[in-house]
Amino acid sequence: MVDTLRGNFPTNLPTIVVVGSTMMDMITYIDKVPESGETLIGDSFALGFGGKGANQSVMASRMGANVYMVNTLGDDLFGDSTLKNFHDQGIDTSFIERTKGASGVAPIWVEKDGSNRIICVPGSNNSMTPEQAVRAIESIDNIDIVIGQLEIPQEVTAAAFRAAQKKGIRTILNPAPFAPLSAELLAASDWIAPNEHEFAAMDPQRRSPDSDETIGDLARLLGKRILVTLGELGAAFTTTTGEIVRIPSPKVNAIDTTGAGDSFVGAFAYGLASGMPEELAVKLGCACASKSVTRRGTQSSYSSKEEAQEIIKAVTS
Ligand code: RIB
């Protein structure tokens, strides 16, 4: 039973703020993408809500967190429908601004084996400002976690994370799509959560996270907690004492991997924000990501609120 409300949210649930991107995903399903100069007939097409920030916010909300999205949308139809989607998902949009011009879009190609290729055109995401992000972090009470990615200007995420750290709030950076991290952003990040490719891009010797030694080396070099996703092998993270813990993923038949990493981050953030042991929070991330790859689309492939509750029960019992 909820006794008091903060804004529209119950006060007894974990609170997560996502300072990140929104995109309209334009997904083409095809056996094999064309070569340069080649035209092919695709199998099917779907328009869906995406953007790494939006996806992570939706997953965290479906898990049961109070979620605030901080973003800037364009003044186009994609902006209108994205805003409506956040309302439908129960996500607070008080810190979403609008600007003239196009919202972000992401043409995506998914091949028969479920692998994807994505081009993000950020549009209005690039109009976000550090002031907007700081205003959100300073105004929202009882934030447990702030999440960021690299589809908006890094100075915006860095400003949000700095403001979060001043309030003693933990921050998770999903360094995707990969770009070299500014010293300011790195300094204000508690957890760095890359996939295997982003991990290798961050490693000075371009090593993949195959061995515990490689993961430990990068964690020591950056002075950060590392949580790396390993595709069908699950994920690995560094503990506070520098050990590496590996969590396997449930075995599934993957048909579309788009957005799986975002469902992992959103579910992990929920687990951490709820006070679960880190190992369980990572298990939760793996369980949600492996469900998402068995269905088509990005947010459309994520567990419903009901399924999310079943996953939490299974992981924590
Ligand atoms: O991680 C998947 C997401 O990357 C897609 O939703 C697309 O919009 C891009 O941001």
Side-chain angles (χ1 to χ4, degrees), residues 22 24 49 54 69 71-74 76-98 103:
T22 53
M24 188 58 77
F49 297 106
M69 183 72 199
N71 178 253
T72 297
L73 292 165
D76 52 3
L77 287 175
F78 288 164
D80 295 345
S81 53
T82 297
L83 196 59
K84 179 174 181 311
N85 181 50
F86 284 130
H87 293 153
D88 294 346
Q89 303 286 337
I91 291 170
D92 187 289
T93 60
S94 315
F95 299 94
I96 292 188
E97 297 184 1
R98 303 294 294 264
S103 299

Side-chain angles (χ1 to χ4, degrees), residues 21 23-25 49-52 55 106 108 118 120 151 258-260 262 298:
S21 59
M23 306 280 166
M24 188 58 77
D25 287 352
F49 297 106
K52 296 180 194 302
N55 298 341
I108 299 176
I118 304 178
C120 286
E151 289 179 337
T258 315
D262 300 330
T298 313

